[in-house]
Amino acid sequence: DSGVTQTPKHLITATGQRVTLRCSPRSGDLSVYWYQQSLDQGLQFLIQYYNGEERAKGNILERFSAQQFPDLHSELNLSSLELGDSALYFCASSVGDTVNTEAFFGQGTRLTVV
Amino acid sequence: AQSVTQPDIHITVSEGASLELRCNYSYGATPYLFWYVQSPGQGLQLLLKYFSGDTLVQGIKGFEAEFKRSQSSFNLRKPSVHWSDAAEYFCAVGARGNEKLTFGTGTRLTIIP
């Protein structure tokens, strides 16, 4: 158990809908990262927050947004869902905001868009 | 832009045999290199990392990796695999000032008795 909690574990929704994925980081970790894992794109970095502020942005679509709340949990919002958004979405957390601090990954949320 | 290549999609080895998983990276500056393992239905777990110093790094579960700058490689090795090592292995690269990790496509490891 990495200490990073993601909910829900599985999500099935229809095209055009909007969903929210939630991540609770390890106690004491200030950084939260979101990754998307799909068969065709592999593991792609989406976005990083550190202590409530956006710190780095990757290949995140405009239909997707994220935020980190004062209690440090984070949410990833996916809207106008398309079939291609079906993927495993991972959250990771770390103490620091730099890549050389170890990131601990949650078990992921598997999103299926039908 | 940084990139990672894992040329082997799938590797099968016998239990007790040695293992080497290949990883080549592309990055202009000094990279930070990582190996992660993903067991079925699980998140990624860090096996080991290289930032600087000794080019041979030891990790958890008996794994080690060697950084070879001249070959832009960071291959993962284990002298004797166990059935529990069956999983998907990901190499990743990052760097100070570029805080996202770029992952390779992964190598699926199958262990046969």
Side-chain angles (χ1 to χ4, degrees):
Chain A
D1 183 5
S2 66
V4 178
T5 303
Q6 290 187 247
T7 56
K9 286 189 168 48
H10 301 276
L11 197 50
I12 301 175
T13 190
T15 54
Q17 294 299 304
R18 172 189 169 95
V19 297
T20 297
L21 312 183
R22 182 187 170 99
C23 170
S24 294
R26 291 188 325 151
S27 177
D29 285 359
L30 299 179
S31 264
V32 169
Y33 307 78
W34 286 97
Y35 286 85
Q36 179 195 59
Q37 185 179 34
S38 62
L39 285 176
D40 55 344
Q41 297 289 325
L43 261 166
Q44 299 274 322
F45 168 75
L46 295 178
I47 198 163
Q48 176 201 5
Y49 279 83
Y50 179 76
N51 204 20
E53 294 188 1
E54 183 182 306
R55 186 56 63 98
K57 212 165 188 177
N59 302 320
I60 187 166
L61 299 172
E62 285 191 11
R63 299 184 286 109
F64 296 0
S65 65
Q67 53 185 327
Q68 186 179 28
F69 294 86
D71 67 353
L72 300 177
H73 91 271
S74 178
E75 293 181 355
L76 179 67
N77 300 296
L78 315 176
S79 62
S80 303
L81 285 167
E82 303 174 359
L83 295 178
D85 297 327
S86 296
L88 193 52
Y89 291 84
F90 284 110
C91 168
S93 73
S94 65
V95 171
D97 63 341
T98 56
V99 74
N100 60 348
T101 56
E102 180 175 351
F104 292 82
F105 282 75
Q107 294 191 351
T109 293
R110 182 168 295 282
L111 173 66
T112 303
V113 182
V114 297
Chain B
Q2 57 200 41
S3 66
V4 178
T5 301
Q6 293 181 249
D8 304 307
I9 296 173
H10 187 200
I11 284 183
T12 300
V13 299
S14 299
E15 190 168 14
S18 64
L19 171 70
E20 182 168 21
L21 302 182
R22 296 183 291 166
C23 172
N24 293 96
Y25 69 89
S26 173
Y27 191 68
T30 301
Y32 297 157
L33 294 160
F34 307 79
W35 275 100
Y36 282 86
V37 60
Q38 184 180 23
S39 299
Q42 301 295 315
L44 283 80
Q45 181 183 23
L46 180 66
L47 286 176
L48 47 78
K49 58 185 183 286
Y50 171 79
F51 296 150
S52 64
D54 192 346
T55 57
L56 184 63
V57 293
Q58 303 296 321
I60 63 171
K61 305 185 180 188
F63 286 93
E64 66 177 27
E66 186 171 11
F67 171 60
K68 292 185 177 180
R69 184 186 299 276
S70 62
Q71 298 177 19
S72 297
S73 70
F74 188 58
N75 293 349
L76 182 71
R77 301 194 294 248
K78 187 170 184 178
S80 175
V81 297
H82 185 262
W83 64 265
S84 60
D85 293 324
E88 185 129 22
Y89 291 79
F90 292 90
C91 181
V93 64
R96 180 170 291 281
N98 185 3
E99 306 305 340
K100 70 181 181 110
L101 284 180
T102 298
F103 284 87
T105 50
T107 297
R108 181 172 300 278
L109 176 63
T110 298
I111 309 294
I112 55 177

